[in-house]
């Protein structure tokens, strides 16, 4: 595999690749089964979670060289059931992003869930053991690449390892040069167009800060956990060009006032009773569009204070909105254009900057 060094392109490619694959439908093994725990090697690049074990290891640090390769090994064993494996990658100064394991293409195609997690087959629901090559970008001279691994008992969340967690979190850190990361820049998502909601969920109404994508409501249960906020055009009685609104996904139906098909889990979905949706908190900023354009570093967003409101209404072109997401990340939204109305082709056009 070639990790590269451009955060957005690498993360997007890895995530997009993961979404191409379908769910597992057979019991063919994807990973090796661990041997006797006494024979498990203890080299520094191995993380190990064995339920009831006394020699578990949650972190592993290893040194690499630009353009080189290091090996990492992940071992999980449980008396319960682990159904999915989640892996994230954080490049120097960047954001933690879903990472597609460099498995054999045939095995990956057979074993990857729609959300990018690995669908663990029968042999690996109790125990899994795999070794992977971790390539170091040739353009990288200093910093750390961080990989996190954990398993879940059902549908998890790349940004919340505690959701249905079975084993982990285990961390492999690859240090290069001084091992000091550069200052973190903001993530930028420009030209995001969100459309007024359709009662059947057929419009791109919700936005995910995880991957920078606008999403159709009817894309399915695998993706709801990624969504952070949505758009609607309200009916508050004020002039039409002031009725544009953003609202957190968790509160969307209640705030919008009309149930949107596909937003809430159906009774036959996996662990539907425990489904959770993200909340985002908004406030109108005193910052100008020039201030927005001049925001480049994550530290410039630290002054944002979390509000108590999960929606913001009466937006107009030129507004700058401050927000804090479900996971404590702070950001700004600039409103560039609004096509007023409730029709499926009416929209809001925004730029977004957020901490990684």
């Amino acid at each position: 595999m070639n990790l590269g060094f451009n955060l957005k392109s690498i993360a997007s490619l890895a995530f997009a690749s993961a979404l191409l694959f379908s769910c597992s439908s057979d019991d063919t093994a994807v990973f090796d089964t661990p041997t006797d725990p006494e024979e498990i090697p203890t080299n520094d690049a191995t993380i190990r979670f064995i339920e009831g074990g006394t020699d578990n290891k949650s972190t592993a640090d290893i040194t690499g060289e630009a353009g080189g390769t290091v090996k990492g090994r992940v071992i999980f064993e449980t008396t319960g059931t682990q159904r999915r494996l989640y892996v994230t990658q954080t490049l120097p100064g960047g954001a933690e992003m879903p990472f597609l394991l460099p498995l054999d293409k045939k095995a990956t195609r057979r074993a990857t869930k729609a959300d990018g997690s690995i669908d663990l087959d029968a042999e690996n629901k109790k125990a899994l053991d795999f070794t992977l090559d971790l390539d170091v970008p040739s353009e990288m001279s200093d910093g750390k690449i961080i990989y996190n691994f954990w398993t879940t008992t059902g549908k998890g969340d790349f940004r919340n390892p505690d959701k249905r967690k079975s084993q982990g979190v285990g961390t492999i850190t690859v240090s290069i040069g001084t091992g000091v990361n550069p200052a973190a820049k903001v993530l930028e998502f420009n030209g995001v167009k969100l459309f007024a909601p359709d009662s059947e969920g057929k419009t791109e109404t919700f936005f995910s800060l995880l991957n920078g994508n606008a999403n159709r409501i009817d894309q399915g249960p695998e993706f709801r956990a990624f969504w952070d906020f949505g758009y609607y055009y309200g009916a508050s009685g004020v002039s039409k060009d002031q009725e544009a609104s953003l609202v957190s996904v968790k509160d969307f139906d209640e705030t919008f006032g009309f149930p949107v098909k596909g937003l809430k889990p159906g009774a036959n979905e996996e662990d539907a009773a425990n489904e959770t949706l993200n909340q985002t908190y908004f406030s109108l900023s005193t910052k100008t569009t020039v201030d927005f354009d001049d925001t480049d570093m994550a530290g410039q967003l630290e002054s944002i204070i979390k509000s108590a409101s999960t929606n913001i209404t009466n937006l107009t072109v030129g507004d700058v909105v401050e927000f804090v997401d479900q996971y404590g990340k702070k950001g700004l939204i600039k409103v560039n254009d609004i096509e007023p109305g409730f029709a499926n082709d009416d929209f809001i056009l925004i730029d977004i900057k957020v901490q990684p």
Side-chain angles (χ1 to χ4, degrees), residues 10 16 21 79 84 89 93 122 142 145 147 162 175 179 259 268 299 301:
I10 295 163
F21 302 127
T79 58
R84 300 190 185 200
Q89 177 200 64
D142 294 291
I145 306 174
Y147 296 89
D162 290 331
S175 297
N268 61 340
L301 300 173

Side-chain angles (χ1 to χ4, degrees), residues 164 299 344:
R164 304 187 179 100
N344 289 359

